[in-house]
Amino acid sequence: MVNSIILNAATRLLVALLLLFSVFMLLRGHNLPGGGFIGGLIGSTGFILYAIAQGAEATRAALRVEPQNIAMIGLGIALCAGGYAVFFGDAFFTGQWWFIGETEDDKGLPISSVLVFDIGVYLVVFGSILTLVLALEEEV
């Protein structure tokens, strides 16, 4: 923990910006470079900055959920997204698409199991990195 008023004030703003940017990267990665892994790394970077400024205990309080639980939930989501294709007779991890609000003139909003898988990867990376960093911060 660093005792600097400038770092403490700047970190609160940076955490919000990095989390917002990580969600952007998660959603952008669906069709362009980026995705769950990159988004999870960016999101965890925000909380790593927070841990440096405020300490590990304050970071755990800000998260409200233990980071290892976030990683396990993400792993479950990713596995469920991969296994969903089996119910349609396709191979494991085959992408499934739904079109919300589909009409004859408009395809609607496309949602896929690939996006759900990316969200799971995001949570696994986010939780894993924070578990490691907070454990190291508590050791020092």
Side-chain angles (χ1 to χ4, degrees), residues 58-117:
T59 305
R60 288 184 190 278
L63 283 171
R64 298 184 184 178
V65 178
E66 287 295 316
Q68 58 267 31
N69 292 340
I70 294 172
M72 294 305 295
I73 290 169
L75 186 61
I77 290 172
L79 286 175
C80 286
Y84 188 71
V86 173
F87 294 113
F88 296 98
D90 293 329
F92 195 67
F93 282 118
T94 301
Q96 300 293 319
W97 294 85
W98 307 275
F99 296 94
I100 297 173
E102 180 181 14
T103 62
E104 290 192 23
D105 298 334
D106 187 24
K107 288 177 79 176
L109 178 66
I111 303 288
S112 71
S113 61
V114 178
L115 177 63
V116 176
F117 177 77

